[in-house]
Amino acid sequence: MRARIGTALLFVGIPLLFAGVALGGEGVQVKITNDGTQDVVVTVYDLNTRPRHVVLENAHINGFTSVPVNVIADAAGHANIAWIATSTDGVTVKC
C-alpha cells in the first residue's frame, strides 16, 4: 500500500540534489538524512544495477541523523536511486 507523499520524503530528496558526479568509475556516495524529529524507516534501491539492488533495507533513521550509502554510477557518473520512507508512528503513517 502506498501512502501519499509527505514531508518525510523531503529529507531524502534534498540531499540527492547535491550528490556529486563519480570520477574514474567510482561509485557515488549519497547521504540519507532525516532532518525532522520523527523517526523514519527507509529502503533505498540502486536503479543503475539490473536487477535493482537494495543498498539500505528497512533502516530505522532517528531524527536529525544521516546514513551514508554507496551506489553504482551510470555512464555519465550519476547515481539513479529510488526510495521508500515511512514514519514509525503507527497513528499518522506518512511516506
Side-chain angles (χ1 to χ4, degrees), residues 41-64:
V41 176
V42 178
T43 300
V44 179
Y45 301 93
D46 185 349
L47 301 180
N48 284 336
T49 60
R50 296 289 181 245
R52 309 194 268 192
H53 178 71
V54 177
V55 292
L56 191 64
E57 184 173 13
N58 295 326
H60 185 171
I61 303 177
N62 298 324
F64 301 106

Side-chain angles (χ1 to χ4, degrees), residues 3 7 9 18 20-22 24 39 47 50 53 68 73 77 83 85-86 91 93 95:
T7 57
L9 190 58
F18 302 107
V21 174
D39 296 351
L47 301 180
R50 296 289 181 245
H53 178 71
W83 65 88
T86 57
V91 177
V93 178
C95 91

Side-chain angles (χ1 to χ4, degrees), residues 61-75:
I61 303 177
N62 298 324
F64 301 106
T65 303
S66 296
V67 177
V69 295
N70 288 313
V71 295
I72 302 298
D74 63 10

Side-chain angles (χ1 to χ4, degrees), residues 2-14:
R2 296 188 101 168
R4 60 189 155 88
I5 296 175
T7 57
L9 190 58
L10 291 177
F11 80 94
V12 178
I14 292 172

